[in-house]
Amino acid sequence: MVRTRFAPSPTGNIHIGGLRTALYAYALAKHNKGEFILRIEDTDKKREVEGATEKIKELLNLFGLIWDEYFIQSERVKSGIYKKAAEKLVKEGHAYYCQHEGRNAKKEGFSKELRDSCRDKNLTSGAIKLRVPDNEKVSFKDFVVGKEISWNTSDVADATLLKSDGFPTYHLAVVVDDNDMKVSHVLRGHDWMPSTPIHLLVHKYLGFKLPEIGHLTDILDPEGGKLSKRKGSTSVEGLLKEGYLPSALLNYVCLLGWAPKNNQEIFSLEEFVAMFDPKGFQKSNPVFDRAKLDWMNGEYIRKADLEGFIRMLKSESSGFSEELLKKIAPLIKDRIKKLSEFGNYTRFFIEEPTVEKKLLGPNSKKHLEAAKKALDKIKKWDLEEINEVLMEAVKDNGFKIGDFFMDLRIAVTGTRFTPPINDSIVILGKDTTLKRLSKVT
Ligand code: GLU
């Protein structure tokens, strides 16, 4: 049975890389009719952020990454499993008690002097550290990277396994739990790779069967280096706030390091699960390409039916009545790429715009006078009439059509980017339109 887990620490927001880990772990399990576990790794109480666990669950639910089993590591401490494992390692000579329990493995372990000064003091209490052997090879075959990765243990730290307060560190808890929960495949971000030799040793010394282990590629920033927040959010919550749809965001994340055989780009979670194959993991680091995400989000908006689209707009459209929204939605559905653009395109429907005169063209006075005159005589305020009288005005006065409509657009809406102007004028109504024109002329 394939069993995978998503094992976040509740130390802050889930970022795009975390969502990707969860998604791939979910798909790997579900593709194989297996089980997906959510395990909250909260043994480092100092770093825990209040509410983070709830947020993680909320987001996974939102994306449909529903777990079959749920564990909170700190609640498992009471059962004594971690302590028992650590003590077994001490008893068998693979770990030792130590007063010094620094948590930064690199700092504590790489100095041989520091390491030796801790070892073999024959203490019987304190923190418990792994006794890493000298000059042995540890290795495993990474099922994402697709090759063997090895270390010389002389380069590996004597990592702390159990702190003096009885809480396990990540290194111990992850191994004990992966074994206890019968995790068959471990998937995690590439930045965890330095911990892997420690886990390999702990697995071996505890006599556990090693799961398949895979490290996902780093997600790169378009401007080079690892993904950063320079241009917009990289947290999942932030991206949702920016106006990306969960379905589009998840679809985009599917392709951040994995590709289907047939190059299909748009698919649902169910379709992704059905075609998921670890052979599709790409070896090179993907770039977080916002333009592509925008494009994909636009595709999802266009795919939605009008009612669905109106529902999506709920959080963006306070101040708009249901009736007004129904009229505006068809005009912008094919234009916007992100829901958050809704306000920029449509605010003029509910707010009188401030018109910056410098946006208007040199002939705006003539254009707007003619438009006002033409619109004023309309009896039946509909699109057909409006089109007709305005085109007549353009022809009769020999105006340049583009310039005329741009001035009209700016005078009525205050901006250059709006839904089709004549349709907008129909919705605004005669009074409002004429009033706005009078104000500018
Ligand atoms: N708790 C680690 C994290 O926050 C889990 C790493 C792993 O999956 O082993 O990502």
Side-chain angles (χ1 to χ4, degrees):
M1 156 91 86
V2 171
R3 283 169 62 87
T4 64
R5 73 337 186 249
F6 177 47
S9 299
T11 50
N13 288 326
I14 292 206
H15 284 252
I16 201 83
L19 177 61
R20 184 185 62 166
T21 306
L23 170 66
Y24 289 170
Y26 174 86
L28 181 59
K30 295 296 153 186
H31 178 81
N32 294 291
K33 311 260 175 296
E35 276 154 356
F36 174 60
I37 299 166
L38 172 60
R39 182 172 77 217
I40 303 295
E41 302 210 323
D42 62 340
T43 57
D44 191 350
K45 286 293 175 193
K46 280 192 228 93
R47 291 182 56 228
E48 184 161 350
V49 170
E50 214 190 300
T53 297
E54 283 315 307
K55 265 274 138 56
I56 291 167
K57 294 201 296 191
E58 226 172 80
L59 284 178
L60 292 183
N61 270 314
L62 176 72
F63 288 104
L65 304 175
I66 311 297
W67 53 94
D68 301 291
E69 290 171 31
Y70 175 63
F71 300 96
I72 301 180
Q73 240 165 17
S74 64
E75 288 179 2
R76 294 165 56 78
V77 173
K78 300 188 262 318
S79 73
I81 43 168
Y82 308 114
K83 192 161 180 273
K84 212 170 107 205
E87 283 168 355
K88 176 174 148 70
L89 291 173
V90 174
K91 208 162 119 222
E92 293 173 4
H94 296 302
Y96 57 93
Y97 285 102
C98 177
Q99 291 306 330
H100 168 83
E101 66 175 271
R103 265 176 297 120
N104 188 327
K106 262 192 191 154
K107 277 193 200 139
E108 41 175 310
F110 276 99
S111 144
K112 197 168 175 340
E113 293 71 43
L114 176 61
R115 191 185 72 181
D116 292 347
S117 75
C118 288
R119 281 183 175 186
D120 302 320
K121 289 261 165 66
N122 294 322
L123 298 178
T124 50
S125 66
I128 293 180
K129 282 192 168 194
L130 179 67
R131 184 191 301 274
V132 175
D134 263 340
N135 211 17
E136 278 181 21
K137 180 181 155 183
V138 279
S139 68
F140 78 108
K141 179 150 188 250
D142 191 297
F143 79 96
V144 172
V145 182
K147 58 176 187 211
E148 190 191 75
I149 298 181
S150 64
W151 291 263
N152 183 313
T153 52
S154 300
D155 299 328
V156 178
D158 271 10
T160 302
L161 300 176
L162 197 77
K163 290 177 272 177
S164 41
D165 62 6
F167 266 76
T169 61
Y170 162 64
H171 301 304
L172 179 64
V174 80
V175 172
V176 169
D177 280 356
D178 283 342
N179 180 70
D180 207 50
M181 295 167 193
K182 300 193 171 46
V183 169
S184 64
H185 292 72
V186 168
L187 259 180
R188 61 176 165 233
H190 193 259
D191 39 345
W192 294 100
M193 188 71 97
S195 304
T196 301
I198 300 166
H199 303 176
L200 295 176
L201 289 170
V202 177
H203 265 286
K204 182 169 114 183
Y205 296 149
L206 287 173
F208 293 162
K209 181 167 176 280
L210 193 68
E212 296 285 333
I213 303 175
H215 293 84
L216 296 167
T217 41
D218 284 327
I219 302 174
L220 301 184
D221 199 279
E223 292 179 15
K226 277 220 215 171
L227 187 59
S228 82
K229 283 182 255 182
R230 257 168 303 178
K231 290 242 171 81
S233 195
T234 57
S235 80
V236 173
E237 225 190 342
L239 288 160
L240 293 172
K241 275 207 192 104
E242 277 183 36
Y244 295 107
L245 300 173
S247 50
L249 191 56
L250 197 70
N251 190 158
Y252 178 72
V253 169
C254 290
L255 296 169
L256 263 183
W258 184 89
K261 279 196 218 100
N262 60 3
N263 286 332
Q264 188 182 338
E265 287 199 302
I266 304 280
F267 37 75
S268 65
L269 178 60
E270 291 68 36
E271 289 172 292
F272 179 59
V273 165
M275 63 185 164
F276 187 78
D277 175 356
K279 288 200 196 86
F281 282 128
Q282 291 168 320
K283 309 285 178 270
S284 57
N285 293 329
V287 174
F288 185 57
D289 179 353
R290 277 181 179 271
K292 175 132 191 209
L293 174 58
D294 285 354
W295 166 79
M296 195 167 268
N297 206 56
E299 290 292 301
Y300 272 80
I301 290 178
R302 276 184 283 291
K303 250 178 33 173
D305 59 17
L306 212 52
E307 271 160 40
F309 180 53
I310 291 172
R311 243 180 288 124
M312 287 173 192
L313 288 173
K314 270 268 145 21
S315 59
E316 304 292 331
S317 58
S318 64
F320 288 76
S321 69
E322 190 74 23
E323 198 194 331
L324 181 57
L325 213 51
K326 274 193 191 140
K327 290 186 194 156
I328 300 175
L331 302 184
I332 57 161
K333 188 164 170 281
D334 293 350
R335 280 191 158 66
I336 66 172
K337 292 209 173 85
K338 283 195 261 178
L339 299 180
S340 52
E341 290 164 356
F342 173 79
N344 295 345
Y345 275 105
T346 60
R347 198 161 297 121
F348 71 89
F349 282 113
I350 55 166
E351 268 171 35
E352 168 119 13
T354 344
V355 179
E356 283 186 57
K357 292 259 162 68
K358 65 172 192 286
L359 289 179
L360 294 164
N363 299 318
S364 64
K365 205 165 167 45
K366 277 191 236 154
H367 290 159
L368 298 177
E369 291 289 358
K372 209 165 65 178
K373 215 166 119 204
L375 293 171
D376 196 28
K377 48 176 209 229
I378 293 184
K379 298 242 155 40
K380 192 167 159 259
W381 192 256
D382 64 16
L383 186 61
E384 210 177 311
E385 281 286 305
I386 292 173
N387 282 343
E388 198 178 307
V389 300
L390 291 177
M391 283 314 290
E392 233 170 64
V394 169
K395 255 193 245 138
D396 292 353
N397 294 290
F399 293 149
K400 280 200 184 129
I401 184 162
D403 294 350
F404 171 80
F405 280 104
M406 187 49 89
D407 281 336
L408 178 62
R409 180 189 306 272
I410 289 165
V412 174
T413 71
T415 96
R416 289 166 173 276
F417 307 102
T418 67
I421 186 60
N422 291 3
D423 296 79
S424 303
I425 285 176
V426 177
I427 297 174
L428 274 176
K430 188 168 175 177
D431 278 359
T432 310
T433 307
L434 291 179
K435 238 186 258 159
R436 288 188 186 178
L437 287 175
S438 302
K439 238 180 142 181
V440 183
T441 48

